[in-house]
Amino acid sequence: MEPKLDLLDSSGTLADLISTEDFMEHIRNIAIIAHVDHGKTTLVDCLLKQSGTFRANQATEERMMDSMDLEREKGITIRAKNAAFKYKDYHVNIVDTPGHADFGGEVERIMNMIDGVLLVVDAAEGPQAQTRFVLRKALEAGAKPIVVINKIDRDNAAPHKVLDQVFELFMALHATDEQLDFPVIYASAKQGFAKVEMNHESTTMEPLFDAVIKHIPPPRAHAGEEFKMLVANLDYSDYLGRIAFGKIVSGKVKLADPIVCIHGDGRKSKSKTTAIFHFEGMKRIEIQEAHAGDIIGITGFEDVFIGETITDIEDRQPLPFVPIDPPTIQMQFAVNDGPLAGQEGKLVTARHIRERLIKETRTNVALRVADTDMTSIFEVSGRGEMQIAILVEQMRREGYEVLVSRPEVIYRRDKEGNLQEPIEKLFLEVPKDAMGSIMENLANRRGEITNMNHIGDTVSIEAFIPTRGLIGFETDLVNQTRGMGVMSHLFHEYGADRGDIAARKNGSLVSMEDGEATTYALNMVQERGRLMVEPGDKIYTGMIVGENARENDIPVNPCKAKRLTNMRSQGDGKGIALDAPLKLSLERALEYISSDEYVEATPKSLRLRKKELDETKRKRTSQSRVVKVMEEPVA
């Protein structure tokens, strides 16, 4: 008979009678992984509710794990987050991970903490691009998978067909025989039930709870005296400083114990534990002692980063940290030097921007920041424009003003010196009647079609395409398929340079005056193209006020006022009907701008402008394709 396990007694310490081995046997560390919008966060909510984490009368929100405002607004998970629940005598630590490819770094680093994964797959859509990525990382880490086919209550659900596709995916990723023998759970996180077979009856998640306890192994940890923990996540407390989260690989740690941090560069710094945190539900509970196998948070070091080792004495060897995939795109962040700078934001200097970017790299391992020859410009590298757009949006909300350039891919050279660029694998589902225009678009972006299947009125397309060819493609897809197209993509490899790709076909309407936009002037400007501003907007020289109908840029005057005369007049702007202006979101604006343009992001406004505001100086600047080459050769 198994011993009864209460992980925490009334004082918040571990029960004295339970050995470390027994403690580890009753811990399960799992991650929820899936493609974006396949129901990870909803499933975590359901597990927390049905495990008794919340009181019966406790008010809870939908998607509780999406704690950031941007996560709730966009309906996606951006940061990996920890939670825990108790089921019978077991303590289950659970990590909710992002599903969007741009935030893959969050998935990669948490693989050091967990021993099993719940692979969630939509019962109608089946495995998608990010499903392949997250599953590959889980299999490489040796995590035990449980396949959860979610949304079986959908009208077009085909769970058995999806299961076959999942098995084929496991085979394609060279899963071991043990990994191929994965258990399957059919579920509806929204309805709150799970079952082992489709013909079973169930009204709760109990079959999934039982599968986690039965199939996920206890933590891979050692109950020795040698305390070691690999830092996999970071947070910050105004009272305690930096909090380092990770799984205890061996030994145990108590409050006020001396500890050593072995940094990435080999340095070793000493401190002592000022607090130890344990998860219960979504809350951090302060405890006195923690043992091998548990996922905890430790405070005591201000200078600690993801991938570093915390141990008990200086003589210990650091734990290996699996490096994550390198960034593939790069953008410039610059100080806002426009005429309207400082009017809306409070944090506008190069020092403010640099400190904020460095702070971001401490918790976002997929992001890299480098100084440039100009003290007011910084180069930020990441996985995709959405990842960096999220950072810009966060900075806007915190009171920063910043200029951001168009994404540029990071090139590198192989051992023979040949130029290579990042190639993505693209998955598309488009209506049949839009297939011709989409194929032409892909050809213009140097895409290579590898597979095509006709399924009813839709066509599924697989292609290899340069990362730079994807910039702006999503907008084209929405327009050409009238919103019916679906796309997902995944970094594939560095391949041979595909040559020039046609940039935006339309030029810009650039203001040549400072002032305020008038209806009278905009009525004349809109004859040249599509407007991006409205009457009353503040305008400055070099600001982009619209899209030209032709390929070249045109200087215009959107601030011109109607001259007053002694004759009777209809008045300034009266009776003039302007077309609705083109309003771009931040992600769309970053894709839209050309290489000689910036997006000016402030707490209240998004403006497009030329990098060089003076027209004469702009003409002198030669337009050339800049190639950024990484220093290390490709193996």
Side-chain angles (χ1 to χ4, degrees):
M1 182 176 177
E2 291 184 342
K4 179 69 177 175
L5 181 69
D6 289 316
L7 290 172
L8 300 176
D9 61 22
S10 58
S11 64
T13 60
L14 288 163
D16 295 331
L17 298 177
I18 299 173
S19 69
T20 304
E21 288 81 359
D22 285 338
F23 178 78
M24 286 168 52
E25 283 296 322
H26 287 77
I27 288 182
R28 298 293 183 269
N29 298 325
I30 60 172
I32 306 276
I33 60 174
H35 186 77
V36 64
D37 203 31
H38 279 200
K40 296 179 304 299
T41 305
T42 306
L43 183 63
V44 174
D45 288 355
C46 191
L47 293 175
L48 291 176
K49 288 176 182 176
Q50 293 197 21
S51 63
T53 301
F54 305 106
R55 299 188 312 272
N57 62 343
Q58 184 171 345
T60 58
E61 300 176 322
E62 285 189 14
R63 303 199 339 265
M64 293 173 291
M65 294 292 283
D66 285 348
S67 53
M68 295 168 56
D69 289 341
L70 277 172
E71 289 179 321
R72 293 191 171 279
E73 291 171 19
K74 293 180 176 292
I76 60 172
T77 301
I78 295 171
R79 290 285 170 85
K81 286 174 284 293
N82 296 72
F85 62 82
K86 289 178 182 171
Y87 178 69
K88 296 181 179 177
D89 293 338
Y90 293 86
H91 181 81
V92 182
N93 291 304
I94 190 165
V95 188
D96 185 19
T97 63
H100 198 283
D102 286 13
F103 309 107
E106 297 285 316
V107 178
E108 291 177 80
R109 62 182 171 79
I110 63 93
M111 289 300 167
N112 297 302
M113 286 198 289
I114 52 91
D115 305 284
V117 293
L118 301 184
L119 176 67
V120 182
V121 183
D122 191 299
E125 295 182 6
Q128 300 288 309
Q130 189 68 2
T131 313
R132 174 182 289 268
F133 171 78
V134 294
L135 179 60
R136 188 180 81 234
K137 292 297 177 183
L139 296 178
E140 287 174 356
K144 174 72 175 178
I146 295 177
V147 174
V148 180
I149 298 180
N150 192 29
K151 303 186 183 183
I152 61 172
D153 54 329
R154 288 183 61 173
D155 293 337
N156 58 342
H160 295 301
K161 178 183 175 184
V162 167
L163 178 58
D164 292 339
Q165 294 173 345
V166 171
F167 188 81
E168 289 172 4
L169 179 59
F170 270 76
M171 294 285 287
L173 294 176
H174 308 293
T176 64
D177 291 343
E178 184 182 0
Q179 289 170 333
L180 280 171
D181 189 23
F182 54 81
V184 181
I185 300 293
Y186 302 95
S188 170
K190 191 174 182 181
Q191 300 292 334
F193 69 84
K195 46 193 178 182
V196 179
E197 298 289 346
M198 283 296 293
N199 56 2
H200 288 185
E201 292 295 327
S202 175
T203 57
T204 68
M205 281 287 174
E206 194 162 324
L208 181 54
F209 286 123
D210 291 336
V212 169
I213 302 306
K214 180 181 178 182
H215 297 289
I216 302 299
R220 290 169 285 184
H222 307 288
E225 294 298 320
E226 181 180 313
F227 168 67
K228 279 187 178 181
M229 185 183 99
L230 186 68
V231 180
N233 205 350
L234 293 173
D235 202 353
Y236 189 83
S237 165
D238 292 334
Y239 304 101
L240 296 167
R242 193 164 297 283
I243 307 172
F245 292 100
K247 182 178 77 174
I248 301 179
V249 176
S250 63
K252 62 181 180 179
V253 63
K254 295 180 180 178
L255 195 65
D257 274 357
I259 49 176
V260 176
C261 179
I262 305 175
H263 298 284
D265 57 3
R267 289 183 302 111
K268 298 179 180 180
S269 53
K270 296 181 181 179
S271 184
K272 61 171 58 178
T273 54
T274 54
I276 303 173
F277 292 100
H278 182 88
F279 289 96
E280 280 192 8
M282 295 171 59
K283 295 179 181 177
R284 294 177 195 155
I285 306 296
E286 200 165 340
I287 57 176
Q288 302 294 314
E289 181 181 338
H291 287 242
D294 202 4
I295 294 176
I296 63 164
I298 286 183
T299 61
F301 292 103
E302 190 58 36
D303 183 25
V304 60
F305 297 97
I306 290 169
E308 296 180 341
T309 300
I310 296 177
T311 185
D312 51 356
I313 57 176
E314 289 186 76
D315 295 337
R316 306 295 190 203
Q317 290 295 315
L319 293 165
F321 178 67
V322 179
I324 66 171
D325 292 341
T328 54
I329 68 155
Q330 194 171 64
M331 300 161 79
Q332 288 185 342
F333 279 50
V335 173
N336 186 7
D337 58 358
L340 304 179
Q343 296 187 12
E344 297 176 4
K346 297 178 181 177
L347 305 167
V348 297
T349 65
R351 179 178 63 85
H352 285 137
I353 294 171
R354 188 178 189 279
E355 287 176 354
R356 177 63 180 84
L357 294 175
I358 296 299
K359 177 185 174 184
E360 185 69 18
T361 61
R362 290 175 178 169
T363 56
N364 191 339
V365 292
L367 209 66
R368 296 179 188 173
V369 176
D371 295 324
T372 65
D373 296 337
M374 300 182 66
T375 56
S376 61
I377 299 178
F378 310 97
E379 287 187 344
V380 180
S381 306
R383 292 283 183 84
E385 63 265 25
M386 186 179 188
Q387 181 194 23
I388 298 181
I390 292 290
L391 171 60
V392 176
E393 184 62 39
Q394 288 174 327
M395 291 175 66
R396 286 180 69 197
R397 298 183 182 200
E398 294 167 12
Y400 289 85
E401 289 192 8
V402 66
L403 300 177
V404 189
S405 71
R406 176 181 171 84
E408 299 283 350
V409 301
I410 300 175
Y411 290 80
R412 64 183 187 184
R413 296 187 184 276
D414 60 14
K415 290 182 177 179
E416 287 74 36
N418 300 316
L419 197 63
Q420 293 194 319
E421 66 173 321
I423 306 295
E424 306 257 343
K425 189 165 189 179
L426 176 67
F427 300 84
L428 291 174
E429 285 187 12
V430 299
K432 274 187 177 180
D433 57 356
M435 188 178 73
S437 57
I438 294 297
M439 297 283 281
E440 182 183 358
N441 198 325
L442 287 175
N444 292 336
R445 295 171 179 271
R446 305 288 182 177
E448 292 181 4
I449 309 297
T450 58
N451 194 14
M452 185 184 300
N453 289 312
H454 293 258
I455 308 166
D457 292 332
T458 63
V459 181
S460 65
I461 300 171
E462 294 182 19
F464 290 122
I465 186 171
T467 299
R468 58 195 170 98
L470 282 177
I471 298 172
F473 177 69
E474 189 169 0
T475 304
D476 289 351
L477 179 69
V478 170
N479 293 335
Q480 292 178 343
T481 64
R482 300 183 301 281
M484 300 295 289
V486 178
M487 69 171 279
S488 54
H489 58 91
L490 193 62
F491 173 73
H492 180 63
E493 64 178 0
Y494 266 88
D497 179 24
R498 299 284 178 92
D500 290 329
I501 292 177
R504 192 180 80 210
K505 294 180 180 179
N506 299 84
S508 301
L509 302 176
V510 186
S511 175
M512 57 184 184
E513 294 289 340
D514 296 338
E516 197 172 281
T518 66
T519 307
Y520 173 74
L522 291 180
N523 185 44
M524 293 185 286
V525 172
Q526 75 176 1
E527 294 177 3
R528 299 293 190 104
R530 189 171 181 185
L531 296 175
M532 292 183 181
V533 295
E534 297 177 301
D537 287 351
K538 292 181 179 179
I539 306 294
Y540 56 83
T541 303
M543 179 175 162
I544 297 170
V545 297
E547 179 184 73
N548 186 15
R550 299 178 181 274
E551 295 183 6
N552 58 314
D553 295 341
I554 298 179
V556 294
N557 183 3
C559 308
K560 186 177 181 181
K562 189 173 184 179
R563 291 187 180 182
L564 298 176
T565 66
N566 291 330
M567 301 291 291
R568 285 190 176 183
S569 172
Q570 287 284 335
D572 184 16
K574 186 175 180 181
I576 295 176
L578 294 176
D579 296 334
L582 175 63
K583 293 293 184 181
L584 301 177
S585 65
L586 180 57
E587 291 98 329
R588 176 74 179 92
L590 291 173
E591 292 179 344
Y592 177 84
I593 57 175
S594 298
S595 57
D596 65 334
E597 297 170 352
Y598 276 136
V599 174
E600 179 184 338
T602 70
K604 296 180 182 178
S605 306
L606 278 178
R607 304 183 184 95
L608 274 57
R609 52 159 281 186
K610 289 291 182 180
K611 287 184 178 180
E612 179 55 67
L613 298 179
D614 183 80
E615 184 185 358
T616 306
K617 292 180 180 178
R618 273 203 310 273
K619 289 180 178 178
R620 292 176 187 160
T621 305
S622 60
Q623 300 298 318
S624 61
R625 182 183 171 202
V626 178
V627 173
K628 297 178 175 60
V629 181
M630 295 177 70
E631 293 182 1
E632 68 272 18
V634 180

